[in-house]
PDB file of all heavy atoms in Angstrom:
ATOM      1  N   LEU A 732     -10.309   4.239  46.299  1.00 98.00           N
ATOM      2  CA  LEU A 732     -10.253   3.253  45.218  1.00 98.00           C
ATOM      3  C   LEU A 732      -8.821   2.804  44.983  1.00 98.00           C
ATOM      4  O   LEU A 732      -8.542   1.592  44.884  1.00 98.00           O
ATOM      5  CB  LEU A 732     -10.838   3.864  43.938  1.00 98.00           C
ATOM      6  CG  LEU A 732     -10.612   3.060  42.649  1.00 98.00           C
ATOM      7  CD1 LEU A 732     -11.315   1.707  42.733  1.00 98.00           C
ATOM      8  CD2 LEU A 732     -11.082   3.852  41.433  1.00 98.00           C
ATOM      9  N   VAL A 733      -7.902   3.748  44.871  1.00 98.00           N
ATOM     10  CA  VAL A 733      -6.500   3.421  44.600  1.00 98.00           C
ATOM     11  C   VAL A 733      -5.926   2.560  45.719  1.00 98.00           C
ATOM     12  O   VAL A 733      -5.221   1.557  45.469  1.00 98.00           O
ATOM     13  CB  VAL A 733      -5.682   4.711  44.407  1.00 98.00           C
ATOM     14  CG1 VAL A 733      -4.183   4.421  44.472  1.00 98.00           C
ATOM     15  CG2 VAL A 733      -6.047   5.376  43.090  1.00 98.00           C
ATOM     16  N   ASP A 734      -6.225   2.914  46.963  1.00 97.00           N
ATOM     17  CA  ASP A 734      -5.710   2.134  48.106  1.00 97.00           C
ATOM     18  C   ASP A 734      -6.223   0.701  48.053  1.00 97.00           C
ATOM     19  O   ASP A 734      -5.480  -0.258  48.334  1.00 97.00           O
ATOM     20  CB  ASP A 734      -6.125   2.787  49.423  1.00 97.00           C
ATOM     21  CG  ASP A 734      -5.373   4.088  49.679  1.00 97.00           C
ATOM     22  OD1 ASP A 734      -4.341   4.332  49.011  1.00 97.00           O
ATOM     23  OD2 ASP A 734      -5.838   4.886  50.531  1.00 97.00           O
ATOM     24  N   SER A 735      -7.495   0.550  47.640  1.00 97.00           N
ATOM     25  CA  SER A 735      -8.056  -0.799  47.593  1.00 97.00           C
ATOM     26  C   SER A 735      -7.429  -1.614  46.461  1.00 97.00           C
ATOM     27  O   SER A 735      -7.236  -2.834  46.594  1.00 97.00           O
ATOM     28  CB  SER A 735      -9.579  -0.737  47.421  1.00 97.00           C
ATOM     29  OG  SER A 735      -9.927  -0.231  46.143  1.00 97.00           O
ATOM     30  N   LEU A 736      -7.114  -0.967  45.364  1.00 97.00           N
ATOM     31  CA  LEU A 736      -6.491  -1.678  44.248  1.00 97.00           C
ATOM     32  C   LEU A 736      -5.052  -2.059  44.584  1.00 97.00           C
ATOM     33  O   LEU A 736      -4.542  -3.082  44.101  1.00 97.00           O
ATOM     34  CB  LEU A 736      -6.524  -0.811  42.984  1.00 97.00           C
ATOM     35  CG  LEU A 736      -7.911  -0.545  42.384  1.00 97.00           C
ATOM     36  CD1 LEU A 736      -7.797   0.437  41.216  1.00 97.00           C
ATOM     37  CD2 LEU A 736      -8.553  -1.840  41.919  1.00 97.00           C
ATOM     38  N   ARG A 737      -4.406  -1.235  45.403  1.00 97.00           N
ATOM     39  CA  ARG A 737      -3.011  -1.515  45.740  1.00 97.00           C
ATOM     40  C   ARG A 737      -2.897  -2.569  46.830  1.00 97.00           C
ATOM     41  O   ARG A 737      -2.013  -3.438  46.776  1.00 97.00           O
ATOM     42  CB  ARG A 737      -2.322  -0.220  46.187  1.00 97.00           C
ATOM     43  CG  ARG A 737      -0.819  -0.394  46.461  1.00 97.00           C
ATOM     44  CD  ARG A 737      -0.158   0.886  46.939  1.00 97.00           C
ATOM     45  NE  ARG A 737      -0.660   1.315  48.233  1.00 97.00           N
ATOM     46  CZ  ARG A 737      -1.498   2.331  48.413  1.00 97.00           C
ATOM     47  NH1 ARG A 737      -1.932   3.019  47.376  1.00 97.00           N
ATOM     48  NH2 ARG A 737      -1.918   2.659  49.617  1.00 97.00           N
ATOM     49  N   THR A 738      -3.769  -2.506  47.814  1.00 95.00           N
ATOM     50  CA  THR A 738      -3.631  -3.384  48.985  1.00 95.00           C
ATOM     51  C   THR A 738      -4.539  -4.606  48.930  1.00 95.00           C
ATOM     52  O   THR A 738      -4.353  -5.550  49.689  1.00 95.00           O
ATOM     53  CB  THR A 738      -3.937  -2.596  50.270  1.00 95.00           C
ATOM     54  OG1 THR A 738      -5.283  -2.106  50.194  1.00 95.00           O
ATOM     55  CG2 THR A 738      -2.978  -1.436  50.426  1.00 95.00           C
ATOM     56  N   GLY A 739      -5.552  -4.563  48.047  1.00 92.00           N
ATOM     57  CA  GLY A 739      -6.489  -5.669  47.963  1.00 92.00           C
ATOM     58  C   GLY A 739      -5.917  -6.838  47.183  1.00 92.00           C
ATOM     59  O   GLY A 739      -4.701  -6.912  46.921  1.00 92.00           O
ATOM     60  N   PRO A 740      -6.791  -7.739  46.766  1.00 94.00           N
ATOM     61  CA  PRO A 740      -6.339  -8.946  46.058  1.00 94.00           C
ATOM     62  C   PRO A 740      -5.580  -8.637  44.769  1.00 94.00           C
ATOM     63  O   PRO A 740      -4.705  -9.404  44.363  1.00 94.00           O
ATOM     64  CB  PRO A 740      -7.648  -9.692  45.765  1.00 94.00           C
ATOM     65  CG  PRO A 740      -8.619  -9.182  46.804  1.00 94.00           C
ATOM     66  CD  PRO A 740      -8.243  -7.757  47.045  1.00 94.00           C
ATOM     67  N   SER A 741      -5.911  -7.511  44.135  1.00 90.00           N
ATOM     68  CA  SER A 741      -5.277  -7.193  42.846  1.00 90.00           C
ATOM     69  C   SER A 741      -3.808  -6.848  43.004  1.00 90.00           C
ATOM     70  O   SER A 741      -2.990  -7.123  42.107  1.00 90.00           O
ATOM     71  CB  SER A 741      -6.007  -6.037  42.163  1.00 90.00           C
ATOM     72  OG  SER A 741      -7.360  -6.358  41.935  1.00 90.00           O
ATOM     73  N   LYS A 742      -3.455  -6.181  44.126  1.00 95.00           N
ATOM     74  CA  LYS A 742      -2.073  -5.776  44.392  1.00 95.00           C
ATOM     75  C   LYS A 742      -1.477  -4.955  43.245  1.00 95.00           C
ATOM     76  O   LYS A 742      -0.345  -5.164  42.819  1.00 95.00           O
ATOM     77  CB  LYS A 742      -1.179  -7.005  44.645  1.00 95.00           C
ATOM     78  CG  LYS A 742      -1.615  -7.870  45.798  1.00 95.00           C
ATOM     79  CD  LYS A 742      -1.462  -7.168  47.125  1.00 95.00           C
ATOM     80  CE  LYS A 742      -1.831  -8.082  48.278  1.00 95.00           C
ATOM     81  NZ  LYS A 742      -1.783  -7.376  49.591  1.00 95.00           N
ATOM     82  N   LEU A 743      -2.289  -4.018  42.732  1.00 97.00           N
ATOM     83  CA  LEU A 743      -1.792  -3.192  41.639  1.00 97.00           C
ATOM     84  C   LEU A 743      -0.730  -2.218  42.131  1.00 97.00           C
ATOM     85  O   LEU A 743      -0.756  -1.774  43.284  1.00 97.00           O
ATOM     86  CB  LEU A 743      -2.942  -2.400  40.995  1.00 97.00           C
ATOM     87  CG  LEU A 743      -4.088  -3.203  40.377  1.00 97.00           C
ATOM     88  CD1 LEU A 743      -5.032  -2.270  39.631  1.00 97.00           C
ATOM     89  CD2 LEU A 743      -3.559  -4.275  39.448  1.00 97.00           C
ATOM     90  N   LYS A 744       0.179  -1.880  41.231  1.00 97.00           N
ATOM     91  CA  LYS A 744       1.248  -0.933  41.539  1.00 97.00           C
ATOM     92  C   LYS A 744       0.732   0.473  41.247  1.00 97.00           C
ATOM     93  O   LYS A 744       1.001   1.058  40.202  1.00 97.00           O
ATOM     94  CB  LYS A 744       2.469  -1.261  40.675  1.00 97.00           C
ATOM     95  CG  LYS A 744       3.775  -0.667  41.141  1.00 97.00           C
ATOM     96  CD  LYS A 744       4.898  -1.186  40.248  1.00 97.00           C
ATOM     97  CE  LYS A 744       6.233  -0.594  40.663  1.00 97.00           C
ATOM     98  NZ  LYS A 744       7.329  -1.106  39.781  1.00 97.00           N
ATOM     99  N   ILE A 745      -0.047   0.988  42.227  1.00 98.00           N
ATOM    100  CA  ILE A 745      -0.777   2.221  41.951  1.00 98.00           C
ATOM    101  C   ILE A 745      -0.798   3.111  43.178  1.00 98.00           C
ATOM    102  O   ILE A 745      -0.831   2.630  44.323  1.00 98.00           O
ATOM    103  CB  ILE A 745      -2.218   1.887  41.484  1.00 98.00           C
ATOM    104  CG1 ILE A 745      -2.949   3.153  41.025  1.00 98.00           C
ATOM    105  CG2 ILE A 745      -2.996   1.140  42.554  1.00 98.00           C
ATOM    106  CD1 ILE A 745      -4.238   2.860  40.289  1.00 98.00           C
ATOM    107  N   GLU A 746      -0.740   4.433  42.946  1.00 98.00           N
ATOM    108  CA  GLU A 746      -0.766   5.422  44.025  1.00 98.00           C
ATOM    109  C   GLU A 746      -1.672   6.586  43.618  1.00 98.00           C
ATOM    110  O   GLU A 746      -2.028   6.737  42.437  1.00 98.00           O
ATOM    111  CB  GLU A 746       0.644   5.955  44.318  1.00 98.00           C
ATOM    112  CG  GLU A 746       1.622   4.917  44.821  1.00 98.00           C
ATOM    113  CD  GLU A 746       1.374   4.507  46.262  1.00 98.00           C
ATOM    114  OE1 GLU A 746       0.582   5.201  46.950  1.00 98.00           O
ATOM    115  OE2 GLU A 746       1.970   3.505  46.710  1.00 98.00           O
ATOM    116  N   TYR A 747      -1.997   7.398  44.618  1.00 98.00           N
ATOM    117  CA  TYR A 747      -2.819   8.590  44.385  1.00 98.00           C
ATOM    118  C   TYR A 747      -2.025   9.821  44.775  1.00 98.00           C
ATOM    119  O   TYR A 747      -1.301   9.822  45.786  1.00 98.00           O
ATOM    120  CB  TYR A 747      -4.109   8.522  45.209  1.00 98.00           C
ATOM    121  CG  TYR A 747      -5.001   9.736  45.046  1.00 98.00           C
ATOM    122  CD1 TYR A 747      -5.757   9.912  43.885  1.00 98.00           C
ATOM    123  CD2 TYR A 747      -5.080  10.699  46.042  1.00 98.00           C
ATOM    124  CE1 TYR A 747      -6.570  11.023  43.725  1.00 98.00           C
ATOM    125  CE2 TYR A 747      -5.893  11.820  45.891  1.00 98.00           C
ATOM    126  CZ  TYR A 747      -6.629  11.977  44.732  1.00 98.00           C
ATOM    127  OH  TYR A 747      -7.428  13.085  44.577  1.00 98.00           O
ATOM    128  N   ALA A 748      -2.131  10.881  43.963  1.00 98.00           N
ATOM    129  CA  ALA A 748      -1.485  12.163  44.262  1.00 98.00           C
ATOM    130  C   ALA A 748      -2.561  13.226  44.415  1.00 98.00           C
ATOM    131  O   ALA A 748      -3.405  13.397  43.533  1.00 98.00           O
ATOM    132  CB  ALA A 748      -0.504  12.549  43.151  1.00 98.00           C
ATOM    133  N   ASP A 749      -2.538  13.940  45.527  1.00 98.00           N
ATOM    134  CA  ASP A 749      -3.574  14.924  45.857  1.00 98.00           C
ATOM    135  C   ASP A 749      -3.033  16.340  45.667  1.00 98.00           C
ATOM    136  O   ASP A 749      -2.131  16.766  46.397  1.00 98.00           O
ATOM    137  CB  ASP A 749      -4.020  14.722  47.305  1.00 98.00           C
ATOM    138  CG  ASP A 749      -5.165  15.638  47.695  1.00 98.00           C
ATOM    139  OD1 ASP A 749      -5.656  16.372  46.815  1.00 98.00           O
ATOM    140  OD2 ASP A 749      -5.562  15.610  48.876  1.00 98.00           O
ATOM    141  N   PRO A 750      -3.550  17.110  44.702  1.00 98.00           N
ATOM    142  CA  PRO A 750      -3.040  18.455  44.478  1.00 98.00           C
ATOM    143  C   PRO A 750      -3.691  19.524  45.356  1.00 98.00           C
ATOM    144  O   PRO A 750      -3.270  20.683  45.334  1.00 98.00           O
ATOM    145  CB  PRO A 750      -3.400  18.709  43.010  1.00 98.00           C
ATOM    146  CG  PRO A 750      -4.667  17.943  42.813  1.00 98.00           C
ATOM    147  CD  PRO A 750      -4.562  16.725  43.685  1.00 98.00           C
ATOM    148  N   VAL A 751      -4.739  19.164  46.097  1.00 97.00           N
ATOM    149  CA  VAL A 751      -5.491  20.188  46.832  1.00 97.00           C
ATOM    150  C   VAL A 751      -4.618  20.994  47.794  1.00 97.00           C
ATOM    151  O   VAL A 751      -4.660  22.232  47.792  1.00 97.00           O
ATOM    152  CB  VAL A 751      -6.686  19.543  47.569  1.00 97.00           C
ATOM    153  CG1 VAL A 751      -7.340  20.565  48.518  1.00 97.00           C
ATOM    154  CG2 VAL A 751      -7.714  19.042  46.566  1.00 97.00           C
ATOM    155  N   PRO A 752      -3.800  20.384  48.651  1.00 97.00           N
ATOM    156  CA  PRO A 752      -2.990  21.190  49.584  1.00 97.00           C
ATOM    157  C   PRO A 752      -2.051  22.154  48.857  1.00 97.00           C
ATOM    158  O   PRO A 752      -1.885  23.303  49.290  1.00 97.00           O
ATOM    159  CB  PRO A 752      -2.213  20.136  50.379  1.00 97.00           C
ATOM    160  CG  PRO A 752      -3.030  18.897  50.280  1.00 97.00           C
ATOM    161  CD  PRO A 752      -3.636  18.928  48.917  1.00 97.00           C
ATOM    162  N   THR A 753      -1.430  21.710  47.793  1.00 97.00           N
ATOM    163  CA  THR A 753      -0.472  22.562  47.080  1.00 97.00           C
ATOM    164  C   THR A 753      -1.171  23.753  46.433  1.00 97.00           C
ATOM    165  O   THR A 753      -0.605  24.850  46.347  1.00 97.00           O
ATOM    166  CB  THR A 753       0.259  21.743  46.007  1.00 97.00           C
ATOM    167  OG1 THR A 753       0.960  20.673  46.646  1.00 97.00           O
ATOM    168  CG2 THR A 753       1.245  22.601  45.221  1.00 97.00           C
ATOM    169  N   PHE A 754      -2.413  23.570  45.989  1.00 97.00           N
ATOM    170  CA  PHE A 754      -3.143  24.650  45.313  1.00 97.00           C
ATOM    171  C   PHE A 754      -3.864  25.571  46.297  1.00 97.00           C
ATOM    172  O   PHE A 754      -4.460  26.559  45.859  1.00 97.00           O
ATOM    173  CB  PHE A 754      -4.147  24.055  44.318  1.00 97.00           C
ATOM    174  CG  PHE A 754      -3.559  23.778  42.958  1.00 97.00           C
ATOM    175  CD1 PHE A 754      -2.707  22.701  42.761  1.00 97.00           C
ATOM    176  CD2 PHE A 754      -3.848  24.594  41.877  1.00 97.00           C
ATOM    177  CE1 PHE A 754      -2.163  22.431  41.523  1.00 97.00           C
ATOM    178  CE2 PHE A 754      -3.296  24.341  40.628  1.00 97.00           C
ATOM    179  CZ  PHE A 754      -2.449  23.259  40.438  1.00 97.00           C
TER     180      PHE A 754
END
Side-chain angles (χ1 to χ4, degrees):
L732 169 64
V733 166
D734 289 344
S735 68
L736 293 175
R737 184 182 65 255
T738 60
S741 301
K742 301 293 183 184
L743 300 188
K744 198 175 179 180
I745 187 168
E746 297 286 348
Y747 179 75
D749 184 4
V751 171
T753 300
F754 273 74

